[in-house]
Amino acid sequence: MVSAVGEASGKILLIGEHAVVYGHPAIAMPVRGVTARAEVEFTREAGVVVEAPDLGERAGRGDGSSVRIGPFVRLAESALALFGEQAQGVRIRLHSTIPIGCGMGSGAAVAVALLRGICSAFNRRLSADQIAELSMESEREFHGTPSGVDSAVIARDEPVYFVKGKAPQPITVGPCAFRFVIADTGVESPTIRVVQEVSAARERNRAKYDAIFWEVGSMASVAREIIRGGGPPELGVCMNHSHALLRQLGVSSPELDRLIVAALEKGALGAKLSGAGRGGVMIALVGDDADEERLAQELRNAGARSVFTTVLSGN
Ligand code: MEV
């Protein structure tokens, strides 16, 4: 019998990917149309078992070597140790509608859902920042050197201005709403690999890469001001410039560029890749909700595997 359930949304990075790994700011927002869910059940036998029926995977103590769910076994064990409940047997069943390896934070969302489920099962409270911090354990296993932006935005479940190692700041949204269409290229792209390649390229040409990171980060600060007091056309300019910078970092791909060009040709105010790049999702900013549905269809026609929408607004 399921004792408790934890849920968490996906996310997109509006501006700041890659630069955020090097200490520059980024803006991220939750995407509530996609979710991870963890069902927690007490069992007679001590130890943690994690099942992901959608992936056909199961892992438990001693066989937590599954690349895809082993890190969640260890995360659950850490949470039980934190609560002094190691003697308790727990089975956790994971489900997620968040595309994997596509820049929408599926790993961080599953970790946050799992931790929320465990908190609820044991009647414990952890703050959003404590959950974000704990979820970094599995994020490090998946991504190597994550900035922490995914965990922060998903655990807080609100748009954030994020600088690595500092407390995330909520974003103030002014009178305008900002509507985004998110399109998945269908190309899985593991974040760890792209981040490592960018790091290796930076080692070969630090001056060039650090200058680009600085400019990406300053775009995040400009975007924060636009969201506070400006409008979608200005944010669109910021997004286009950010995508140009990400291309200079070498993290776009033909599939991403094709969807971005299609979005701009069909009237998007701005478009860019979101997340690590080389695959995964792109995001496009539209003027109003009629444009949203039309552009979603155009992006499906242009080859997107799946399309989502999300709105950044003050109410
Ligand atoms: C995060 O979704 C994307 C990257 O910036 C990596 C990170 O912040 O850890 C590429």
Side-chain angles (χ1 to χ4, degrees):
M1 198 185 69
V2 174
S3 303
V5 170
E7 289 189 325
S9 303
K11 69 96 205 342
I12 50 168
L13 265 169
L14 178 54
I15 305 251
E17 41 277 276
H18 290 289
V20 67
V21 175
Y22 298 88
H24 298 280
I27 296 177
M29 46 195 269
V31 178
R32 303 223 165 80
V34 286
T35 47
R37 177 182 164 93
E39 297 165 357
V40 181
E41 202 177 322
F42 295 119
T43 55
R44 279 167 208 260
E45 230 177 280
V48 172
V49 172
V50 173
E51 297 173 351
D54 310 337
L55 302 178
E57 292 212 25
R58 183 178 194 277
R61 175 174 290 177
D63 64 351
S65 58
S66 154
V67 178
R68 294 209 278 189
I69 62 171
F72 298 126
V73 174
R74 291 181 279 282
L75 179 64
E77 286 171 348
S78 295
L80 294 192
L82 180 73
F83 294 154
E85 298 280 4
Q86 294 100 314
Q88 179 66 58
V90 162
R91 181 184 303 121
I92 302 167
R93 198 163 291 127
L94 303 174
H95 301 276
S96 174
T97 59
I98 308 170
I100 296 173
C102 289
M104 293 188 75
S106 83
V110 169
V112 169
L114 177 149
L115 292 170
R116 286 180 177 154
I118 290 178
C119 283
S120 166
F122 289 94
N123 212 7
R124 306 291 178 116
R125 281 191 69 82
L126 290 176
S127 69
D129 290 344
Q130 285 171 316
I131 288 195
E133 182 56 38
L134 259 181
S135 72
M136 289 294 282
E137 185 178 321
S138 51
E139 283 292 277
R140 277 187 208 101
E141 285 201 54
F142 286 123
H143 301 315
T145 54
S147 65
V149 63
D150 291 14
S151 297
V153 63
I154 291 168
R156 286 187 163 233
D157 199 27
E158 63 177 359
V160 291
Y161 179 85
F162 178 89
V163 178
K164 189 176 171 178
K166 296 196 177 156
Q169 294 171 28
I171 295 278
T172 308
V173 187
C176 289
F178 300 86
R179 295 174 187 282
F180 300 92
V181 178
I182 304 156
D184 181 6
T185 57
V187 178
E188 265 191 50
S189 171
T191 299
I192 187 165
R193 194 160 62 211
V194 190
V195 169
Q196 280 170 354
E197 284 172 14
V198 169
S199 162
R202 174 177 179 258
E203 284 312 312
R204 293 191 293 273
N205 193 343
R206 272 197 183 225
K208 173 186 163 188
Y209 278 76
D210 285 349
I212 299 172
F213 292 145
W214 186 87
E215 210 175 332
V216 170
S218 62
M219 282 293 108
S221 301
V222 170
R224 175 165 69 163
E225 292 315 309
I226 294 171
I227 293 165
R228 198 197 303 261
E234 294 153 87
L235 188 62
V237 172
C238 232
M239 290 170 64
N240 290 340
H241 187 53
S242 294
H243 186 66
L245 293 167
L246 290 164
R247 290 192 70 189
Q248 286 177 39
L249 289 179
V251 296
S252 195
S253 71
E255 294 83 0
L256 282 163
D257 286 340
R258 188 168 345 106
L259 292 179
I260 288 164
V261 168
L264 294 172
E265 278 178 3
K266 300 296 176 189
L269 300 171
K272 62 181 280 291
L273 70 83
S274 178
R278 295 266 168 78
V281 297
M282 54 76 72
I283 57 174
L285 178 65
V286 293
D288 59 37
D289 40 353
D291 284 350
E292 196 176 89
E293 199 28 62
R294 190 183 48 77
L295 191 70
Q297 191 51 51
E298 295 286 3
L299 289 171
R300 279 187 206 101
N301 297 345
R305 181 173 66 175
S306 41
V307 179
F308 314 94
T309 58
T310 193
V311 183
L312 178 59
S313 68
N315 43 48

